[in-house]
Amino acid sequence: AGPSSSAPPVQAGLSGLFALPADLRFPGDWNAAKAKASHDSKWLLLNVQSNNEFASHRLNRDTWSQEALR
């Protein structure tokens, strides 16, 4: 059986290993994210990263992939 059509596409190589999980990204802008968080009575976490810093990529791989943090 092939992959489910609802499953996110798998990225190959290092870009896939260090990619921010798609389910943690908000598709709108800052104001829309604030409004959604307020409406849902949830905290809003802003994660600012740099493509030039390996620590940012490591955060994606090691931290945001942990189920306990999700």
Side-chain angles (χ1 to χ4, degrees):
S4 167
S5 61
S6 64
V10 176
Q11 293 178 315
L14 290 176
S15 63
L17 181 62
F18 292 103
L20 178 65
D23 60 327
L24 296 181
R25 289 184 284 196
F26 184 78
D29 64 12
W30 172 248
N31 288 324
K34 288 192 315 184
K36 174 82 168 128
S38 177
H39 179 266
D40 293 349
S41 297
K42 293 185 176 181
W43 286 81
L44 178 61
L45 176 67
L46 176 65
N47 179 28
V48 179
Q49 296 187 352
S50 169
N51 281 332
N52 299 327
E53 294 292 330
F54 181 71
S56 290
H57 300 287
R58 191 176 55 224
L59 183 76
N60 292 338
R61 182 194 65 195
D62 299 340
T63 303
W64 301 129
S65 65
Q66 294 297 316
E67 193 61 36
L69 292 174
R70 292 170 167 263

